[in-house]
Amino acid sequence: MFFAPSDQSGVGGMCREIIHATPSWQGGPGRYDCMYVAKGGVDTDGFRSLLVARVRLFFSCAYNGHDYLCALVDWFLPVASEVCELTGMWIVAPEIDNQGQHVQSVISLDSIVRSAHLIAVYGNDIVPIDLHFSKTLDAFKAYYVNKYIDHHAHALAF
């Protein structure tokens, strides 16, 4: 759980969000949410200052007497340097290594900005009727970064 800036909560107020990473959500399949991660040392605004990741695990580790709160994430990279002309949304694709596996990293929880919502780029293919929603982020080659999900996503990334 973290707190995201919120105009709706008033001047100094905050809006609480929860990002999930669990192998079973309410007795069903796992839930691994997506989020915006701040790029370090970048002097740009909007989406160019962010990365998109799907969290796989939250954990902490101790080193030299300090506890570090961390997350294991899968990365999604932009497929172009501009938004899609048709939708006005950025398109990202999973970062895949030479063995066809998702590229993963451990990040500090301090770098998480807020949750992100991805929509599959369906293309002209028919979506299989038996595709379970929990497999959506593994079933497609590219995803729109949904700026229409809420006011804050639009203001932050676009």
Side-chain angles (χ1 to χ4, degrees), residues 34-36 52-54 76 90 92 116-120 136-137 143-146:
C34 292
M35 58 195 175
Y36 293 111
V52 176
R54 173 174 45 172
F76 289 82
W90 288 94
V92 295
H117 184 253
L118 303 184
I119 303 170
T136 304
L137 290 175
Y143 301 86
Y144 293 108
V145 179
N146 187 0

Side-chain angles (χ1 to χ4, degrees), residues 2 98 101 107 113 138:
F2 69 101
N98 293 337
Q101 302 296 313
I107 64 169
V113 178
D138 296 312

